Amino acid sequence: MKRILLAVGCLWVGSLHGAEAVFSSQGSKVYMPPIGDGSFVNELDLKSHEITQRQLGEFMDGKPVRVFSTFSTDQVLLGTAETVWKWNTVKNTFTRVAAVPAGETIEDIAFDAKNRWTVIATYRVNEAERIAESKLWMKREDAQGLAAVQVRRVENMQGPVFDLNGNLYFGCRGDLWHGQIQWEADSEPARGVLLGYRFCPVATL
């Protein structure tokens, strides 16, 4: 599973929304967000260097794609502001994975191929205090709805990605964190817990 940040490089694609993209599971293509708020995805073929606009409007009610995550062979996770979808890039079919609670906005998504769950980072704007409050959720494949993930120290998870062993990597306030999400089935209600440690300061003051 691979995830990259794209800057101005070998091909000009305009300004990327969020400057985020993901490789396909085979590594032959890169999927990039639309420029602006269009309901499509830019598909870059790394062999031919051609970019194709994959139109998604008829499937996603015209809502813009905000975030991506690699899922499995020929499949990619897409997130709008409120919903996560699984997209089969060959058959061009969509399966709804989860919708976040009302008032929450999806900021990022990641898929854990080992444990078979999707992690969703959201935020809610607190108008009274003029701040954005972040939360973390998980959707297990064998569950109907979302479960909350307890987060002790991390206030704003950025760029989460899982490796094939279920290890989670993410950024927070200029530092790189490494950890895992542990499922606590005996909790009431059942929940996930984020476990990790800060192992790579990107910058020091």
Side-chain angles (χ1 to χ4, degrees):
M1 184 177 304
K2 303 175 183 178
R3 182 173 182 149
I4 59 171
L5 297 180
L6 294 182
V8 177
C10 61
L11 292 172
W12 182 86
V13 294
S15 300
L16 295 178
H17 179 71
E20 183 181 280
V22 292
F23 282 102
S24 63
S25 59
Q26 304 94 331
S28 60
K29 296 181 180 180
V30 177
Y31 295 95
M32 298 168 283
I35 301 170
D37 290 332
S39 186
F40 63 88
V41 170
N42 290 307
E43 180 184 75
L44 168 62
D45 188 307
L46 295 178
K47 184 176 181 179
S48 66
H49 296 172
E50 294 182 353
I51 296 177
T52 303
Q53 284 190 359
R54 301 290 299 273
Q55 300 295 328
L56 310 176
E58 62 180 295
F59 301 100
M60 306 181 74
D61 299 325
K63 295 182 178 180
V65 176
R66 297 169 55 89
V67 288
F68 295 83
S69 180
T70 303
F71 184 79
S72 61
T73 304
D74 298 328
Q75 296 187 95
V76 173
L77 288 181
L78 304 177
T80 62
E82 305 92 7
T83 310
V84 178
W85 300 83
K86 183 169 59 178
W87 174 35
N88 187 308
T89 59
V90 175
K91 298 179 180 179
N92 203 34
T93 57
F94 289 80
T95 304
R96 178 170 157 158
V97 176
V100 297
E104 299 290 333
T105 300
I106 296 175
E107 188 166 28
D108 224 323
I109 54 177
F111 180 71
D112 183 347
K114 177 182 179 181
N115 295 298
R116 309 302 297 178
W117 54 49
T118 300
V119 171
I120 307 171
T122 67
Y123 69 90
R124 176 191 296 262
V125 177
N126 186 324
E127 298 291 352
E129 299 183 13
R130 297 184 179 180
I131 59 173
E133 300 172 341
S134 299
K135 291 185 178 180
L136 199 61
W137 312 84
M138 63 188 298
K139 171 63 172 65
R140 301 168 67 232
E141 281 195 338
D142 58 354
Q144 292 296 321
L146 292 176
V149 177
Q150 181 183 4
V151 180
R152 295 184 177 90
R153 296 182 58 190
V154 177
E155 297 178 0
N156 184 19
M157 177 182 289
Q158 297 174 324
V161 62
F162 288 93
D163 65 19
L164 295 179
N165 295 316
N167 296 303
L168 175 63
Y169 302 87
F170 61 93
C172 178
R173 298 185 180 277
D175 297 322
L176 185 61
W177 289 68
H178 167 229
Q180 293 181 332
I181 291 181
Q182 178 177 297
W183 177 245
E184 294 189 345
D186 295 333
S187 297
E188 185 58 42
R191 66 181 182 181
V193 176
L194 176 63
L195 305 175
Y197 64 93
R198 183 176 56 191
F199 77 101
C200 183
V202 177
T204 57
L205 298 176

